[in-house]
Amino acid sequence: MASTNDIRVVAAIDFGTTYSGFAYAHRKSPDEIFCQDFEGSFKTPTVLIYDESFKVTSWGFPALSDRTIRKSKSSSVELFKLHLGRNIEEKPFLPEGLDYKKAIIDYLHEICKLLKEKLNSYKFLEFFNQVIIILTVPAEFDNKALSIMRDCAFKAGLTNEKNSRNLKFITEPEAAAIHCMKFLSDNGITSGDSFMTVDCGGGTVDLTTRQLLFDNALGEVTERTGDFCGSSYVDQEFIKFLEKKVGKSAIDLLKKNYYRQLQCLIQEFCKNVKIPFTGCEKDFEFTEIDLGDYCPELKQYCKDDVFMEIEELELTFDDVRTMFDPIITKIVDLIKGQLHANNDKCSAIIMVGGFSESKYLQSRIKDEFLDFVQNISFPSNPITAVIKGAVQYGMKEHVITNRVLKWTYGTEIGRKWEADDPISRKLPNGMIKVFHPLAKKGSHLTSTDEVKTVFKPYSLFQTKVSFNMYHTSKLDAKYCDEDDVKLLDNDWEIEIPRLDDFDDQIISLALNFGNIEILATAENQKTGKEYKVKFNCG
């Protein structure tokens, strides 16, 4: 990694489920943040068009703008970021033979090319040594998802090595909270007060409750939370509505063979139905969508009388509200959970992200929470809050002073078998392997805190010690093969010199939680040899 003095530019990429963008700033002018313009918008659709050999032919707005190619069978993909999510019942559609990781790599590669073109104006720049890349991730991403994102960023050309320390991560709600600091005084927030940032995106809704500290830093008050209930799930409710009309099998065949047509239909729904919807019936205009125009191939998968009956698809006010309500209910429940975790203490709620521009969502949030939180605000250009906050974080990482751990972290160690241990776990040498917690879920840790522990090898003749790091949502896990105890991707080992005295063989392990990725350092205290590796603590 280049030294801090070598870094000239901080660039941030907001790789979103439905829309993505990037921004950058020169370290000499940190307040002058340049957001990339995509055809008059600060974000472009997270969509790719592939040819028959899965080579990218178009991406972003151009991939959706040509309405004359609806009959094309070209492979068109979207929502592929959702394949990284945990606990998603139905993964988004992908063409047969296409891995979601390839789609992520290909999309990031297009962003990377455009970013490098923009930075060419800085003639002195040598990209990999002089640019810090900040990549935003949802609060719900686990270690596996983060490891995949780091690998994809490397293969897309954003870094010159997989474990480059010039690539850093920040969660989307943290980035939004940093950007929203400038609005706090307008909402009567002063040092010591807490506020909640709710980032409503296309795929996820992410929340964090932060306390404003006296030196314009932010401390995390509660564990950040999130769920898959962004605006694209309103679109999925629309598809479910359509399935009830023509049958699920008909829509599945349309997805498989003419997915571009389905995309065009959803775009029409978003433009003329979802975005204008206010939740007020007097504002609603009766809506018809011509399925014969947007999805002409759907007819072949339906009975003639069924298609004729719904070719002009009618949407009533109640139909549309029913598409919104289950998604908004999840968002309301997430906010209630954050308030409850902070004993209902919150001076302001700040709504950001593209979905927060929905008038119906805004009115529902105000109706639910104005009696409990006096300040509920919706800043202008909420779609840029995350990307600008990520750049600001890259300029001043210490603005985040502490984090609340979402997981318990530990490793596997051996100890003597005891009478209350299961006999089935007793090893021939009288030992037992157990989960040894190093940092527990819910702990408040600052950027300088280190969690330290020491180990000894199993025997005098052992020449290497390896550490497998695990994480779990449990506070009381006993064994590493329990449900919900997951092995992290990284495993490593350090050498031990052959010694005569067993007491000399002591290994220290230190974990630093200054960033989303934990820095773990193991040291052989006899030789001083160290080994470092990163893990995700999101």
Side-chain angles (χ1 to χ4, degrees):
M1 175 181 174
S3 69
T4 304
N5 292 334
D6 292 333
I7 302 302
R8 306 294 185 90
V9 172
V10 173
I13 298 173
D14 184 6
F15 170 57
T17 302
T18 55
Y19 286 88
S20 298
F22 67 85
Y24 57 92
H26 196 286
R27 294 195 75 167
K28 291 182 177 179
S29 306
D31 295 327
E32 190 175 2
I33 299 175
F34 299 92
C35 292
Q36 173 61 23
D37 181 271
F38 298 94
E39 301 185 19
S41 173
F42 290 123
K43 286 192 175 182
T44 193
T46 311
V47 178
L48 293 162
I49 302 293
Y50 287 103
D51 63 15
E52 295 80 3
S53 61
F54 289 121
K55 180 181 179 181
V56 176
T57 61
S58 184
W59 70 285
F61 277 118
L64 294 178
S65 62
D66 191 353
R67 296 167 69 91
T68 66
I69 56 176
R70 293 183 195 137
K71 295 183 179 181
S72 170
K73 290 190 178 183
S74 298
S75 298
S76 175
V77 299
E78 62 182 353
L79 306 179
F80 41 89
K81 179 183 174 183
L82 292 178
H83 283 263
L84 290 168
R86 297 176 298 114
N87 304 322
I88 296 181
E89 294 181 3
E90 185 177 351
K91 299 291 186 180
F93 169 81
L94 284 176
E96 186 176 350
L98 178 66
D99 185 85
Y100 75 91
K101 295 177 187 177
K102 173 175 168 54
I104 293 173
I105 293 167
D106 288 340
Y107 193 86
L108 289 179
H109 180 65
E110 298 299 331
I111 291 285
C112 179
K113 287 194 299 184
L114 187 54
L115 173 60
K116 288 181 177 179
E117 287 176 10
K118 292 297 178 183
L119 295 183
N120 274 344
S121 59
Y122 297 106
K123 300 300 182 183
F124 51 80
L125 279 181
E126 199 239 308
F127 187 81
F128 293 127
N129 289 329
Q130 297 181 339
V131 180
I132 289 285
I133 301 291
I134 309 295
L135 196 56
T136 68
V137 294
E140 286 301 286
F141 268 18
D142 60 11
N143 179 78
K144 181 179 179 181
L146 198 77
S147 179
I148 291 171
M149 284 301 301
R150 179 170 279 279
D151 186 56
C152 289
F154 165 61
K155 292 176 179 176
L158 284 166
T159 64
N160 59 352
E161 57 184 44
K162 180 179 177 180
N163 292 317
S164 171
R165 295 179 68 183
N166 279 29
L167 174 65
K168 300 176 184 291
F169 294 91
I170 185 172
T171 64
E172 290 160 4
E174 284 181 317
I178 292 171
H179 179 65
C180 288
M181 288 176 69
K182 65 172 64 177
F183 307 113
L184 297 182
S185 60
D186 295 338
N187 290 281
I189 307 300
T190 59
S191 179
D193 291 338
S194 62
F195 69 99
M196 186 190 309
T197 303
V198 185
D199 176 26
C200 302
T204 59
V205 173
D206 297 290
L207 302 86
T208 184
T209 301
R210 296 276 166 175
Q211 183 181 40
L212 181 65
L213 305 179
F214 71 94
D215 55 353
N216 279 328
L218 295 175
E220 190 167 28
V221 177
T222 64
E223 178 186 315
R224 52 199 177 279
T225 56
D227 200 356
F228 296 92
C229 49
S231 64
S232 66
Y233 287 91
V234 179
D235 306 344
Q236 297 305 310
E237 292 296 319
F238 168 64
I239 296 301
K240 291 177 184 178
F241 174 82
L242 192 60
E243 287 175 346
K244 292 179 182 178
K245 298 290 185 181
V246 301
K248 188 176 186 304
S249 61
I251 298 301
D252 288 343
L253 287 169
L254 185 69
K255 284 182 182 179
K256 180 179 180 180
N257 298 316
Y258 296 94
Y259 189 66
R260 298 290 305 278
Q261 293 186 16
L262 187 61
Q263 280 182 314
C264 289
L265 176 63
I266 293 173
Q267 291 295 313
E268 178 67 12
F269 166 75
C270 292
K271 179 181 177 181
N272 293 317
V273 181
K274 183 175 77 172
I275 293 175
F277 189 72
T278 66
C280 183
E281 192 164 9
K282 67 180 180 59
D283 297 332
F284 185 79
E285 295 183 5
F286 181 75
T287 302
E288 288 186 345
I289 299 178
D290 189 344
L291 293 182
D293 183 25
Y294 289 96
C295 299
E297 300 300 333
L298 179 61
K299 183 177 181 179
Q300 64 181 296
Y301 304 126
C302 304
K303 294 179 180 180
D304 289 343
D305 57 334
V306 171
F307 189 80
M308 288 180 63
E309 182 179 341
I310 57 95
E311 186 171 2
E312 293 291 334
L313 184 66
E314 298 179 354
L315 295 175
T316 67
F317 172 81
D318 287 337
D319 291 333
V320 180
R321 186 176 60 183
T322 301
M323 296 172 194
F324 273 86
D325 282 348
I327 313 306
I328 293 180
T329 297
K330 285 187 175 183
I331 298 173
V332 168
D333 288 343
L334 284 170
I335 296 174
K336 287 180 178 179
Q338 279 283 308
L339 287 172
H340 178 71
N342 195 27
N343 298 316
D344 294 331
K345 295 178 182 178
C346 185
S347 298
I349 294 175
I350 303 177
M351 305 288 294
V352 298
F355 193 23
S356 70
E357 294 182 293
S358 164
K359 297 300 183 184
Y360 183 40
L361 175 60
Q362 291 180 6
S363 65
R364 283 287 305 276
I365 297 301
K366 290 178 179 178
D367 289 344
E368 291 279 354
F369 298 108
L370 266 179
D371 289 340
F372 308 98
V373 182
Q374 293 184 350
N375 295 310
I376 299 177
S377 62
F378 306 87
S380 59
N381 291 325
I383 199 169
T384 65
V386 169
I387 192 68
K388 287 185 175 181
V391 174
Q392 292 165 327
Y393 170 74
M395 293 292 180
K396 193 173 68 171
E397 292 183 39
H398 63 270
V399 68
I400 300 292
T401 62
N402 76 287
R403 287 185 169 90
V404 179
L405 293 190
K406 287 177 64 66
W407 311 94
T408 295
Y409 292 87
T411 188
E412 188 176 58
I413 65 169
R415 62 165 171 81
K416 289 183 179 181
W417 183 86
E418 298 174 352
D420 58 348
D421 290 325
I423 187 65
S424 59
R425 291 185 177 272
K426 187 175 182 180
L427 300 174
N429 63 357
M431 303 289 284
I432 184 173
K433 292 183 178 181
V434 297
F435 176 80
H436 178 73
L438 299 171
K440 289 197 172 185
K441 173 183 169 74
S443 299
H444 290 250
L445 295 173
T446 71
S447 59
T448 58
D449 283 342
E450 279 192 337
V451 177
K452 294 183 178 181
T453 189
V454 295
F455 299 95
K456 284 187 177 182
Y458 293 124
S459 75
L460 183 63
F461 304 102
Q462 189 172 346
T463 59
K464 293 182 179 180
V465 173
S466 61
F467 293 96
N468 289 331
M469 196 72 69
Y470 297 84
H471 78 287
T472 175
S473 62
K474 298 178 179 179
L475 292 172
D476 57 353
K478 293 182 178 179
Y479 308 106
C480 293
D481 57 358
E482 292 181 21
D483 292 340
D484 195 49
V485 178
K486 306 297 183 184
L487 176 66
L488 301 186
D489 290 341
N490 305 79
D491 61 278
W492 38 287
E493 61 185 16
I494 65 173
E495 296 180 355
I496 308 170
R498 187 70 62 87
L499 300 172
D500 295 330
D501 188 349
F502 186 69
D503 290 335
D504 282 347
Q505 294 179 325
I506 298 177
I507 309 300
S508 67
L509 179 66
L511 303 180
N512 180 276
F513 294 85
N515 296 292
I516 292 175
E517 292 176 300
I518 306 167
L519 179 62
T521 305
E523 181 183 355
N524 184 322
Q525 292 192 348
K526 185 69 175 181
T527 66
K529 184 174 181 178
E530 289 187 345
Y531 191 97
K532 296 177 185 256
V533 71
K534 285 184 174 182
F535 303 94
N536 172 34
C537 65

